[in-house]
């Protein structure tokens, strides 16, 4: 498509939302993992718009997700930061940005990821929630010291 000046059309093709959350600057290719992390699978009635592999001056390419009628909790933002560390969160109220913030990784996450080590106590039939220390380049299980780096999204609890 071209714009009115004959150049490329850089206009957003998804309409504004009245109330909800826009997650911008998601690492390219991670939007569906972000939605899975937020338990958005199309069955709960959430209205969601997703842009995947959208050109970005800051990241080269990025993903964007607009979630109508829902504001994310701090715990959701903490975990989101693990798979989308450059994400910007825009809270929308009355079609306007009411709050804008960047995600900040927490020091620890608990109960949201499974440890990939089959011998870890958190994967057995023990009443122990998986708990990870957040490192600069991944996560470390506090029980067995297993390091998780590139495949964090694969370990999100269903």
């Amino acid at each position: 498509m071209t714009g009115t000046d004959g150049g490329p059309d850089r206009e957003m093709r998804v309409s504004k939302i009245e109330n909800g959350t826009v997650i911008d600057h998601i690492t390219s290719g991670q939007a569906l993992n972000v939605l899975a992390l937020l338990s958005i699978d199309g069955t709960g009635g959430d209205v969601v718009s997703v842009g995947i592999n959208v050109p970005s001056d800051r990241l080269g390419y990025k993903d964007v997700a607009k979630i109508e009628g829902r504001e994310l909790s701090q715990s959701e933002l903490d975990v989101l930061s693990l798979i989308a560390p450059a994400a910007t969160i825009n809270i929308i109220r009355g079609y306007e940005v009411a709050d804008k913030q960047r995600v900040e990784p927490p020091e620890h996450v608990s109960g949201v990821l499974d440890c990939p080590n089959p011998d870890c106590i958190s994967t057995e039939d023990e009443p122990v929630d998986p708990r990870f220390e957040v490192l600069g380049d991944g996560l470390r299980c506090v029980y067995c010291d297993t390091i998780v780096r590139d495949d964090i999204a694969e370990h999100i609890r269903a």
Side-chain angles (χ1 to χ4, degrees):
M1 267 185 120
T2 59
T4 56
D5 62 355
D9 183 357
R10 299 279 184 201
E11 200 173 302
M12 285 295 287
R13 291 176 180 88
V14 177
S15 62
K16 290 183 174 184
I17 61 175
E18 183 176 1
N19 296 297
T21 302
V22 176
I23 308 169
D24 198 1
H25 302 103
I26 300 169
T27 307
S28 186
Q30 292 296 314
L32 299 180
N33 289 329
V34 165
L35 295 178
L37 172 96
L38 299 174
S39 300
I40 296 173
D41 61 6
T43 62
D46 291 307
V47 176
V48 179
S49 302
V50 179
I52 296 176
N53 216 26
V54 176
S56 166
D57 291 335
R58 191 168 116 199
L59 299 175
Y61 289 93
K62 67 180 179 179
D63 292 356
V64 180
K66 294 182 177 186
I67 307 162
E68 293 187 39
R70 181 168 169 188
E71 293 185 16
L72 302 183
S73 69
Q74 187 59 52
S75 62
E76 289 173 319
L77 295 176
D78 288 347
V79 178
L80 174 66
S81 72
L82 303 176
I83 61 173
T88 303
I89 308 301
N90 296 295
I91 302 300
I92 309 299
R93 296 185 188 124
Y95 294 104
E96 299 292 327
V97 176
D99 186 30
K100 182 174 186 169
Q101 62 182 336
R102 285 203 171 161
V103 294
E104 294 284 334
E107 292 182 19
H108 291 90
V109 292
S110 181
V112 293
L113 303 166
D114 288 321
C115 182
N117 178 356
D119 295 325
C120 181
I121 190 169
S122 69
T123 60
E124 297 297 317
D125 292 328
E126 299 290 332
V128 176
D129 270 339
R131 183 171 166 84
F132 293 86
E133 176 185 7
V134 178
L135 309 172
D137 63 344
L139 305 168
R140 182 184 64 79
C141 177
V142 299
Y143 302 113
C144 70
D145 291 329
T146 296
I147 303 290
V148 180
R149 285 194 173 88
D150 298 329
D151 54 355
I152 292 171
E154 294 176 17
H155 301 290
I156 296 170
R157 293 187 127 183

